[in-house]
Amino acid sequence: MAEKVLMKGNEALAEAAIMAGCRHYFGYPITPQTEVAAYMSKKMPKIGGTFLQAESEIAAINMVLGVASTGKRVMTSSSSPGISLKSEGLSYLAGCDLPALVVNVQRGGPGLGGIQPSQSDYFHATRGAGHGDFHMIVLAPSNVQEMVNLTFKGFDLADKYRMTSMILADGTMGQTMEPVLLEQGEITQYEKPWATTGTKMERPHNIVNSLFLKPEQLEVENFKRYERYKKIEETEALYDTYRMEDADVCVVAFGIGARVSHNAIDEARKAGIKAGMIRPITLWPFPKAALKEAADKVKAFISVELSMGQMIEDIELATRCAKPVMLCNRVGGMIPTVKNVYDSIVEADKIGGDK
Amino acid sequence: MLNLTHKRVTLFCGHYGSGKTNIAINYAMHLKNSFDDVCIADLDIVNPYFRTKDGEKALNRHGIKLISSEYASSNVDLPALPAETYAILDNPGLHAVIDVGGDDRGALALGRYVPSILSENDYEMLFVINKFRPLTRDCASTLEIMDEIEAACNMKFTAIVNNSNLGDETTAENVLSSLEYAEEISAKSGLPIKMTCVDNRIAPELSGKIENVFPITLYVMQSWKLQEDR
């Protein structure tokens, strides 16, 4: 068994990407994500890979599109403002049905915002990463080990479904240092008959393209894509639960919010309030079934976010507003405190009344 | 037993994430036991998230002056050096600890102060190492980073500080298992090991087993962990 090492979330993610077979990284520095690029710049040249600091985020995402077209594992990373710039490329990747890994280590916004952690790109990642109808698989790590594990997962799902996987981390996950186990899991090799690898005069040309001028044909492309999304929604939702067996109040939180909520739930239990947590690991697909099931058992939900009420909409949709959903949030680079979450749990327990 | 000699200027450099900042703060507090006038300068222009400034309250309590960029911990993502750094070099009555930024990039910022540090020649240049960091796991890769830092700041190291740790999960066995690594680096580089830093939590287990165990209290850490302590 491998020995644990002490790593920053950003570095751990970069190393995991290399272990997962990624040999092409294109990016542009931005706090709090810069260590991903810094790590790649040190490592890639030593292993025959490509590290390229592009002239802009827009250039980087289009370089990703180029490599993805050849079927090679490829990634880029940035933080919120840089991800906005990549949005056009994300739409093109979706329109071309290309697998890629995109990392967003979020900071406070909108605009240039700040450099401290945030989760306010939730809507961007799960709803509107660019123009047109499309989704990305969105993975939300809650510790440095998950920065590793979900990077493997992200590459795998991207290849499996020919789409972009996004690691939606917050600044804390990128900057926190924790011991991690870097283990080479089994990597599934997917056939990529669509890849533009040269015909060798043995097959017709493969064409990677998102332009369909005939509306009938473009409609078919969209319907086909959404059939795939439906299957993903049915089979790939991931979540974790904590003390939910007998919970009256269900906290829903991800990333750093889940770490804080974990402690708040323990405090609430000590005070005699039965609190538990559902922690979505995939934000798209959102673990709707788990939330719906919980709605039959709990009195109220709390959405803990580092944003102004974004995930709360998914909770309300998943539970069909069957129970009250409260918001517990801090924004602008602030992190909800254990006390913030604890107070919300007490409040939710009251609002929920008797079951 | 802790048996350390002190110079007027003590510089801590290393791979980023090696633990320089917390060691520098603890070392400044240690110096304060022997000297009246102690200050700490934060020259880290690389990492805007964890800065010496985050330990400012503790430093103030101990009567240690902090010299830090006015932008440090202000979230202005601007690499700037504190103008007051020159005061350290001009005041021979002061004992100074300098927290240098990570890697060769951080050490580059030190270059402008090097000529006067060298001409006074009352300094220690310490290389902080951690064998549990992935880019410094063995002697060869650690020496490579050491060379890069020396080349960037145009100054040679005078000793090694072994800070091998796995964060919260560090055990006494982890520290003991790092001794061979530290000794190999010491032998290859010809530099002595000044001390082995150990979290206060496990320092008692190791006293007597390692020469010069330097117990460390963490003053700079993730905000949500601090929250758990409050």
Side-chain angles (χ1 to χ4, degrees):
Chain A
M1 201 169 92
E3 199 185 7
K4 278 191 175 178
V5 289
L6 185 64
M7 289 186 100
K8 235 181 192 195
N10 284 333
E11 299 172 320
L13 181 147
E15 180 60 35
I18 290 170
M19 288 171 75
C22 175
R23 291 293 177 275
H24 303 276
Y25 173 92
F26 307 98
Y28 190 87
I30 180 171
T31 305
Q33 159 284 154
T34 301
E35 293 85 359
V36 180
Y39 195 89
M40 289 300 193
S41 75
K42 287 223 186 254
K43 267 295 192 60
M44 282 298 196
K46 289 183 183 166
I47 54 172
T50 303
F51 163 83
L52 200 149
Q53 182 173 323
E55 65 269 37
S56 73
E57 285 85 350
I58 300 171
I61 191 77
N62 284 292
M63 291 171 189
V64 167
L65 190 144
V67 171
S69 304
T70 71
K72 301 276 186 208
R73 285 192 163 178
V74 57
M75 72 177 284
T76 185
S77 61
S78 192
S79 178
S80 309
I83 294 290
S84 286
L85 283 167
K86 290 185 198 290
S87 287
E88 181 193 58
L90 294 175
S91 172
Y92 279 65
L93 282 166
C96 296
D97 294 313
L98 291 173
L101 186 79
V102 176
V103 180
N104 181 0
V105 185
Q106 302 163 91
R107 56 189 251 181
L112 270 177
I115 61 168
Q116 293 295 331
S118 159
Q119 297 177 333
S120 53
D121 301 345
Y122 182 97
F123 277 158
H124 176 279
T126 61
R127 305 270 200 288
H131 62 280
D133 283 308
F134 76 95
H135 279 295
M136 302 184 297
I137 290 163
V138 183
L139 301 156
S142 178
N143 54 50
V144 177
Q145 187 66 55
E146 281 191 350
M147 290 288 266
V148 171
N149 303 351
L150 295 181
T151 297
F152 278 95
K153 185 87 188 164
F155 274 116
D156 181 74
L157 292 174
D159 277 350
K160 187 174 176 186
Y161 294 106
R162 286 182 66 179
M163 61 190 287
T164 299
S165 288
M166 175 174 273
I167 306 280
L168 192 71
D170 50 66
T172 331
M173 289 305 123
Q175 295 297 321
T176 295
M177 257 176 138
E178 284 174 340
V180 289
L181 207 52
L182 290 166
E183 273 189 313
Q184 179 85 54
E186 200 175 308
I187 296 169
T188 310
Q189 300 292 341
Y190 294 90
E191 290 295 313
K192 295 176 178 174
W194 46 266
T196 54
T197 51
T199 64
K200 302 183 186 73
M201 309 298 273
E202 287 164 4
R203 60 162 170 79
H205 287 283
N206 282 342
I207 297 171
V208 169
N209 177 36
S210 67
L211 179 68
F212 298 92
L213 290 173
K214 289 194 184 109
E216 296 83 356
Q217 195 189 354
L218 185 53
E219 184 186 46
V220 169
E221 292 295 327
N222 273 283
F223 277 130
K224 264 173 28 193
R225 196 167 294 124
Y226 270 70
E227 269 166 38
R228 236 181 322 144
Y229 290 166
K230 189 161 174 280
K231 192 177 160 218
I232 296 167
E233 288 198 273
E234 284 163 6
T235 57
E236 302 291 355
L238 291 173
Y239 63 95
D240 195 11
T241 60
Y242 180 62
R243 302 185 90 160
M244 277 301 291
E245 305 76 40
D246 59 346
D248 288 332
V249 174
C250 175
V251 174
V252 186
F254 63 100
I256 184 64
R259 297 282 286 262
V260 174
S261 299
H262 191 280
N263 296 336
I265 286 164
D266 288 346
E267 291 299 313
R269 288 269 173 176
K270 275 184 221 159
I273 301 172
K274 290 178 183 167
M277 173 162 61
I278 293 178
R279 174 172 73 89
I281 298 171
T282 52
L283 300 178
W284 193 90
F286 196 70
K288 290 180 194 169
L291 268 294
K292 194 161 188 300
E293 195 193 317
D296 294 335
K297 298 176 185 161
V298 304
K299 298 198 289 193
F301 291 89
I302 302 169
S303 184
V304 176
E305 309 179 12
L306 281 69
S307 50
M308 287 305 296
Q310 300 193 18
M311 180 174 65
I312 193 171
E313 292 192 5
D314 277 334
I315 301 169
E316 287 172 342
L317 282 169
T319 60
R320 300 286 184 244
C321 295
K323 296 285 162 66
V325 188
M326 286 174 56
L327 178 64
C328 173
N329 67 330
R330 297 291 296 273
V331 295
M334 302 301 291
I335 300 171
T337 61
V338 173
K339 187 169 187 315
N340 290 152
V341 180
Y342 175 84
D343 289 347
S344 289
I345 291 172
V346 172
E347 186 70 19
D349 191 49
K350 277 186 208 147
I351 287 175
D354 296 324
K355 266 200 267 191
Chain B
M1 261 309 286
L2 193 57
N3 180 23
L4 301 175
T5 55
H6 308 296
K7 298 285 187 182
R8 195 180 79 73
V9 177
T10 310
L11 302 117
F12 288 95
C13 300
H15 175 44
Y16 82 87
S18 58
K20 292 176 301 295
T21 299
N22 275 307
I23 294 172
I25 293 174
N26 280 270
Y27 194 77
M29 291 173 178
H30 175 75
L31 284 177
K32 187 69 186 167
N33 295 332
S34 314
F35 307 101
D36 286 338
D37 214 358
V38 177
C39 81
I40 183 167
D42 176 8
L43 294 194
D44 189 347
I45 56 164
V46 178
N47 185 346
Y49 256 64
F50 302 115
R51 299 289 298 252
T52 319
K53 200 166 172 78
D54 299 338
E56 192 168 16
K57 274 187 195 155
L59 288 165
N60 284 341
R61 271 203 309 276
H62 285 77
I64 296 162
K65 184 175 162 54
L66 168 67
I67 295 173
S68 166
S69 158
E70 58 182 301
Y71 301 113
S73 302
S74 70
N75 290 333
V76 179
D77 196 359
L78 190 69
L81 290 167
E84 280 176 290
T85 310
Y86 282 107
I88 296 173
L89 309 171
D90 295 340
N91 180 358
L94 186 68
H95 276 77
V97 175
I98 301 182
D99 176 11
V100 181
D103 291 351
D104 48 335
R105 273 157 295 201
L108 204 56
L110 181 64
R112 66 156 78 176
Y113 309 109
V114 167
S116 56
I117 294 171
L118 290 178
S119 73
E120 186 196 18
N121 198 21
D122 190 4
Y123 72 93
E124 268 190 299
M125 170 82 164
L126 302 174
F127 184 44
V128 181
I129 58 172
N130 179 0
K131 86 156 203 169
F132 297 101
R133 294 281 292 142
L135 293 183
T136 56
R137 295 208 69 180
D138 52 43
C139 179
S141 54
T142 310
L143 290 174
E144 199 178 309
I145 289 194
M146 184 172 162
D147 289 344
E148 285 171 6
I149 294 174
E150 287 185 337
C153 65
N154 211 6
M155 195 169 172
K156 296 280 181 197
F157 284 105
T158 60
I160 292 163
V161 171
N162 181 13
N163 187 46
S164 295
N165 76 88
L166 262 177
D168 293 350
E169 293 182 19
T170 315
T171 61
E173 289 72 44
N174 291 144
V175 180
L176 289 170
S177 80
S178 74
L179 298 181
E180 197 182 326
Y181 158 83
E183 274 154 21
E184 191 187 352
I185 293 166
S186 170
K188 290 256 168 65
S189 64
L191 299 174
I193 300 169
K194 183 182 171 75
M195 57 193 189
T196 301
C197 300
V198 180
D199 192 310
N200 260 328
R201 206 166 36 81
I202 49 175
E205 287 178 65
L206 290 164
S207 74
K209 292 185 184 159
I210 309 174
E211 217 178 323
N212 280 340
V213 170
F214 187 72
I216 294 279
T217 303
L218 298 183
Y219 292 100
V220 177
M221 61 175 100
Q222 293 91 339
S223 62
W224 65 273
K225 280 194 178 163
L226 284 173
Q227 211 182 86
E228 287 176 333
D229 295 340
R230 274 200 283 270

